[in-house]
Amino acid sequence: MTIEPLTPSYQNTSFSEYKVTSLLLSANYKDKLIITQDRKCCGRQGCKSAKDLRENLLYYLQTTFILRMATKWGIVSAGKISHDFVVALSTLSQEEHKVVAVAARDLERAQAFADLHKIPSVYGSYEELAKDPNVDVVYIGAVHPQHLPIGKMMLNNGKPILCEKPLTMNLKETTELISLAREKGLFLMEAIWSRCFPAYDMLRREMEAGNLGEIVQVIVNFGFPIESVDRMRLKELGGGTILDLGVYCLQLAVLVFGPVNPTHIVALGHLNEFGCDESMACVLKYEGGKTAVLSTNARVLLPNEAYIIGTKGSIKIPNFWCPTSLATPEKTCDFILPTASKSFNFVNSAGLRYEAMEVRRCLREGLLESPKITHAESKLIAELEDKLRKEIGVTYEQDE
């Protein structure tokens, strides 16, 4: 069979115009399609209904145009993490990733960000970016309490989302945002970038191969002297170590032991004068004699290592939230991050490229969530965060 091209040129068309393609196409089609200029199928065997015709057309668009397009990013908020994300994107091919818009509540700040990163479209409100038809997917780098309202705005305007962790302030909000994404048929991913690092891919392979035997213990600690940082100390900004640092410890326990609730949780911590946790230590008890011991601290530098311990051996992960090495019972593997033309604000931020690559892969394959950090896992992590906060007495207005 042959392919007769459509009349319009789709080379410069936004992927967002074809997001429905990713929801409906069948990835199992192997044969080529005949598409006439009036968009009617004229030959594929078994094409007998409007549904068949639609799927054929969608598959044609997917395979011939969309897969060759760059993913066009819109950046929400012009802060430090957004800077690092855009710089990380610059280490990837421009044919695959382009930043086309940035929005901040302060137009001058957005303009300065755009000037630095050479971003063509600049907005002084998030609503304007949400309505930009040239944006395929949105990265949300705003403070925690803004994740839900901004996320809902973007989804209601047809935008897939990569949202910084924590996805929202609590399980109630997380469930609401995920439900809306599902209702709209749009991709949503919590930006737990750790899950996308090559070291985590290797960790999964080691566990699946049974090289550690039965895994019975996870030990993780995460701490930096950042108690004076507003996003850490102020309740109105979603402050506290559980949401900012603990999410990383919890995601590793969830990855290792699976998306199941512990049978028992014990947690202690210290609160600052604003009622935000400046430190936390907890034990998660699972069925089968399995335990996770996690700790966070905003006053001191902790080793920031993770240990996964099984009956046959253990794995050590330095800088576990953004690892560039992993030590197995047999060997230590190093993973080199690329250099960038601009400096980063945070440790190993070049690794943000991996979550961007995962988002592009998921969009191209028509997924609504990433298998590397599923919606079920995001909801469980939010539930565990809620339980830890309850144990040590941290509440937010969003909990009411």
Side-chain angles (χ1 to χ4, degrees), residues 184-385:
K184 298 292 184 180
L186 293 168
F187 177 82
L188 171 65
M189 175 179 167
E190 184 174 11
I192 298 181
W193 62 320
S194 316
R195 294 287 188 92
C196 301
F197 272 73
Y200 270 70
D201 293 335
M202 181 176 176
L203 171 61
R204 291 185 187 93
R205 291 193 297 270
E206 291 290 317
M207 292 192 298
E208 290 168 1
N211 292 339
L212 301 182
E214 182 186 4
I215 299 174
V216 298
Q217 186 85 31
V218 173
I219 303 172
V220 191
N221 57 76
F222 198 14
F224 288 99
I226 52 176
E227 60 181 323
S228 62
V229 177
D230 283 349
R231 66 176 171 80
M232 181 62 66
R233 69 187 188 94
L234 298 179
K235 186 168 286 191
E236 60 267 30
L237 297 182
T241 65
I242 292 174
L243 292 189
D244 201 82
L245 304 176
V247 59
Y248 288 113
C249 302
L250 289 168
Q251 66 81 24
L252 187 55
V254 170
L255 175 65
V256 173
F257 291 141
V260 296
N261 258 303
T263 59
H264 192 59
I265 295 176
V266 178
L268 294 171
H270 295 280
L271 309 186
N272 67 11
E273 66 269 32
F274 302 107
C276 296
D277 55 292
E278 60 185 18
S279 67
M280 181 277 300
C282 71
V283 178
L284 310 182
K285 178 183 177 182
Y286 294 85
E287 291 184 351
K290 300 173 182 179
T291 308
V293 180
L294 317 174
S295 59
T296 59
N297 204 301
R299 299 188 62 192
V300 296
L301 178 66
L302 296 181
N304 298 332
E305 297 174 337
Y307 294 86
I308 296 93
I309 304 166
T311 55
K312 292 182 180 179
S314 64
I315 284 180
K316 175 183 176 181
I317 313 176
N319 287 343
F320 76 96
W321 77 104
C322 56
T324 56
S325 68
L326 185 145
T328 74
E330 291 79 26
K331 59 186 180 296
T332 296
C333 295
D334 295 314
F335 306 90
I336 307 302
L337 288 172
T339 58
S341 59
K342 296 181 178 66
S343 61
F344 292 103
N345 293 298
F346 303 109
V347 176
N348 290 347
S349 278
L352 291 166
R353 73 200 305 264
Y354 299 125
E355 65 180 0
M357 293 164 63
E358 174 65 5
V359 170
R360 175 174 168 82
R361 184 189 71 81
C362 290
L363 290 176
R364 293 175 70 189
E365 294 185 10
L367 304 180
L368 298 185
E369 61 184 302
S370 167
K372 291 192 173 183
I373 176 67
T374 67
H375 290 170
E377 289 179 299
S378 287
K379 287 196 283 189
L380 177 56
I381 290 167
E383 181 179 357
L384 293 173
E385 290 165 349

